[in-house]
Amino acid sequence: MSQHESQHPKKAFLRALSGECLSPPPFWLMRQAGRYLPEYRQVRAGCNGFLDLCYTPEKATEVTLQPLRRYGFDAAILFSDILVIPDALGQPVAFKEGEGPKLNPIRDAAGLAKLSKDGLKTHLAPVFETVSRLSKAIPETTALIGFAGAPWTVATYMVEGAGSKEFVETKKLAYSQPNVFKALIDLLVDATGDYLITQIDHGAEVIQLFDSWAGVLPEEEFSKWVIEPTRQLVERIKAERPGIPVIGFPRGAGALLLPFVERTGVDAVSLDTSVPLAWAAKNIQPKVTVQGNLDPVMLIAGGEALDRAIDHVLETLGKGPFIFNLGHGILPSTPPENVARLADRVKGRV
Ligand code: CP3
């Protein structure tokens, strides 16, 4: 590789993450693999539950590649789930059809004491195997994203025992027994760090941290349970595997997005659908690359509304370092042809 090339990696996705402004911008979509694709549903039907799919490298590799074949995304994201971490720590996770995840909740020091990261790497070996396979299978211009849930969001599932609207149990534990909650977060920082470093060693080129429920905390608690654990993970990745960019996704952070960016050290931030574009262009983009933030429901609506919304995102964020994405994951009822339309429009073909 020439000097010039080594300074400017040829994958557009990595160039955007290192601060280059590209036109057209690189793009991928959160949950780009999944139920909206008939070929995903076919593989899924042959699995003994959702986690079986995550833990079967051949199938997980196949469903990761499916959306790349259709749409030519600039990045592939490892097919797995954020809840493999509690599963690997000794808190088994079940995905019940149509009900979402179920776990036996952890709400005190005794419950916490039952968890251990001793078996983590063995339990997650199939996920690492998927990363290795992907790193060989993806096109050479496509980047491979590894990921994990951020500690706060993973902790909400561990404490609630399921998805939640109000997060009463998790907040109650964090507010009334901060030492117990901190021990849980510390364990997650430690285990998630091991998990991400091992993904990198198997070929992940970028890391995204999903903090889907970051937006439910007040300022001081946001600082303790969202910013601080993320900062620690970024610091560890930068120290142990320098050069691997980290994308943060503190969904719903609102005005706390700015301190999140300033204090965590992330290389890029994924903007949820509610973030005003002109505000982000002025206040966030001068500091880090931004990714986002089309409303996933626009992809269901399609037509003129979709075209206009795509153009608005491109016009407002396209002048700085930018990766086109959604503001949250693709919904299962999304028509695949609307994703094709999006791909063509982002790449300037229609
Ligand atoms: O983006 C990708 O294509 C990679 C795979 C991926 C999945 N989940 C696959 C999945 C990623 C990156 C995730 C992240 C994830 N998982 C998050 C953070 C992002 C977000 O959406 O906010 C969260 C909160 C989870 C937890 C989770 N996983 C829930 C609550 C559910 C059930 C709800 C649902 O959508 O069904 C899942 C299941 C899940 N994870 C599916 C997929 C494709 C659907 C499962 C199925 O096929 O039956």
Side-chain angles (χ1 to χ4, degrees):
M1 197 191 279
S2 74
Q3 186 72 15
H4 180 77
E5 273 170 332
S6 65
Q7 279 166 2
H8 302 278
K10 66 173 174 254
K11 297 184 182 188
F13 189 74
L14 301 179
R15 289 169 59 194
L17 283 171
S18 68
E20 277 187 62
C21 176
L22 302 175
S23 179
F27 82 128
W28 68 285
L29 303 178
M30 291 190 271
R31 293 275 184 108
Q32 63 193 23
R35 287 163 294 185
Y36 76 107
L37 291 177
E39 59 269 36
Y40 172 87
R41 295 196 297 269
Q42 202 187 334
V43 175
R44 176 72 175 78
C47 296
N48 185 16
F50 172 67
L51 280 181
D52 176 49
L53 172 53
C54 296
Y55 294 147
T56 307
E58 190 190 352
K59 290 178 178 174
T61 302
E62 168 57 20
V63 298
T64 307
L65 297 175
Q66 287 171 346
L68 301 185
R69 294 187 194 116
R70 277 188 186 244
Y71 308 118
F73 292 120
D74 294 288
I77 180 161
L78 160 69
F79 190 87
S80 179
D81 196 81
I82 66 167
L83 298 179
V84 299
I85 286 288
D87 201 52
L89 289 172
Q91 185 185 18
V93 177
F95 282 87
K96 300 241 164 70
E97 222 53 68
E99 284 180 50
K102 294 277 181 283
L103 307 82
N104 197 355
I106 287 173
R107 296 190 177 159
D108 53 25
L112 185 58
K114 293 189 188 133
L115 302 179
S116 157
K117 63 161 210 163
D118 292 350
L120 188 110
K121 286 198 185 160
T122 314
H123 189 95
L124 297 174
V127 178
F128 303 134
E129 166 71 19
T130 305
V131 178
S132 295
R133 288 181 183 222
L134 284 169
S135 135
K136 295 183 197 98
I138 59 175
E140 61 176 12
T141 52
T142 308
L144 181 56
I145 305 172
F147 77 92
W152 161 253
T153 287
V154 175
T156 65
Y157 290 95
M158 296 174 79
V159 177
E160 303 293 333
S164 177
K165 284 200 168 72
E166 306 291 349
F167 303 94
V168 172
E169 296 298 333
T170 318
K171 290 182 174 189
K172 198 171 75 187
L173 185 64
Y175 299 172
S176 62
Q177 293 184 261
N179 292 339
V180 174
F181 193 68
K182 180 163 188 306
L184 172 59
I185 293 289
D186 286 348
L187 173 65
L188 286 170
V189 169
D190 191 12
T192 305
D194 292 354
Y195 178 51
L196 293 174
I197 297 283
T198 313
Q199 287 185 32
I200 294 165
D201 291 344
H202 284 76
E205 298 166 282
V206 175
I207 294 299
Q208 176 149 328
L209 287 170
F210 289 88
D211 219 343
S212 307
W213 305 114
V216 304
L217 287 171
E219 182 175 10
E220 201 180 311
E221 310 289 329
F222 182 92
S223 181
K224 274 194 221 162
W225 312 123
V226 171
I227 293 184
E228 183 54 22
T230 301
R231 189 196 66 71
Q232 288 173 17
L233 279 167
V234 173
E235 183 178 71
R236 179 166 169 198
I237 293 167
K238 300 280 167 208
E240 296 183 18
R241 299 296 181 273
I244 298 292
V246 181
I247 307 171
F249 180 38
R251 194 166 73 92
L256 297 173
L257 204 52
L258 210 49
F260 177 90
V261 163
E262 285 165 347
R263 289 167 47 199
T264 58
V266 291
D267 300 273
V269 71
S270 204
L271 306 175
D272 69 68
T273 295
S274 75
V275 178
L277 294 175
W279 178 86
K282 181 160 179 272
N283 297 289
I284 306 289
Q285 233 171 356
K287 298 185 196 298
V288 292
T289 299
V290 299
Q291 173 177 277
N293 75 345
L294 185 80
D295 186 345
V297 178
M298 281 293 178
L299 263 184
I300 297 176
E304 273 290 297
L306 174 61
D307 284 357
R308 275 201 310 275
I310 293 169
D311 294 351
H312 182 52
V313 174
L314 288 171
E315 281 156 19
T316 321
L317 297 177
K319 297 179 192 78
F322 174 53
I323 295 158
F324 192 98
N325 205 314
L326 302 177
H328 199 193
I330 296 189
L331 294 161
S333 60
T334 303
E337 59 271 24
N338 288 353
V339 182
R341 174 81 191 180
L342 178 147
D344 284 341
R345 198 146 184 107
V346 171
K347 292 300 177 183
R349 294 186 291 254
V350 286

